[in-house]
Amino acid sequence: MPRSSRFLCALYLATSAGLAWAAALEFRYGSAWAGCLFAAASLVPVIAVLRESVLCDHRRAVARLRRLNAAPPAHVGTALDVAVRTQLDAACCERWWTSLGTDHDSACRDRTRRSSAA
């Protein structure tokens, strides 16, 4: 939690304690409705402390996600990526690729000559 948030939380808790003290004094020496009002008001700073802690958790989570997204990936390629790259590198020509390995281009190094004998 940053220093400013800690200071705000301490200020909120001091304010809550002061309002609770005022509520206790009102219940003892004053009217009950004012004591109830001070008691309810002393809960508001406690809610603010809880809100500050939730905001701190959110800031920490966002910072962690930013670090994770900025870091390069741990692995270069998976086994599937390697297999696909191997198959793409093994393809000899475009016609062979589109004809599912039955035909070759005329300039292909792996082209097999067909004989005219039937």
Side-chain angles (χ1 to χ4, degrees):
M1 188 179 287
R3 196 178 288 185
S4 61
S5 293
R6 287 184 188 148
F7 177 72
L8 275 177
C9 287
L11 189 63
Y12 289 148
L13 290 176
T15 303
S16 180
L19 287 171
W21 177 251
L25 290 178
E26 277 299 316
F27 280 126
R28 182 176 282 183
Y29 302 114
S31 58
W33 67 270
C36 289
L37 185 67
F38 279 119
S42 70
L43 294 177
V44 174
V46 173
I47 295 169
V49 169
L50 293 175
R51 181 179 167 269
E52 282 293 324
S53 66
V54 168
L55 284 175
C56 181
D57 291 341
H58 284 291
R59 283 188 202 113
R60 197 175 295 140
V62 167
R64 185 179 58 83
L65 287 174
R66 283 186 180 160
R67 278 194 313 271
L68 287 175
N69 287 338
H75 63 282
V76 176
T78 62
L80 180 62
D81 293 336
V82 171
V84 168
R85 176 57 46 206
T86 304
Q87 291 298 321
L88 286 174
D89 290 342
C92 60
C93 63
E94 186 176 350
R95 186 177 294 169
W96 178 86
W97 187 259
T98 56
S99 67
L100 300 174
T102 59
D103 246 355
H104 290 276
D105 285 338
S106 60
C108 180
R109 59 180 160 77
D110 293 332
R111 184 173 70 97
T112 55
R113 302 200 182 259
R114 297 182 189 202
S115 66
S116 59

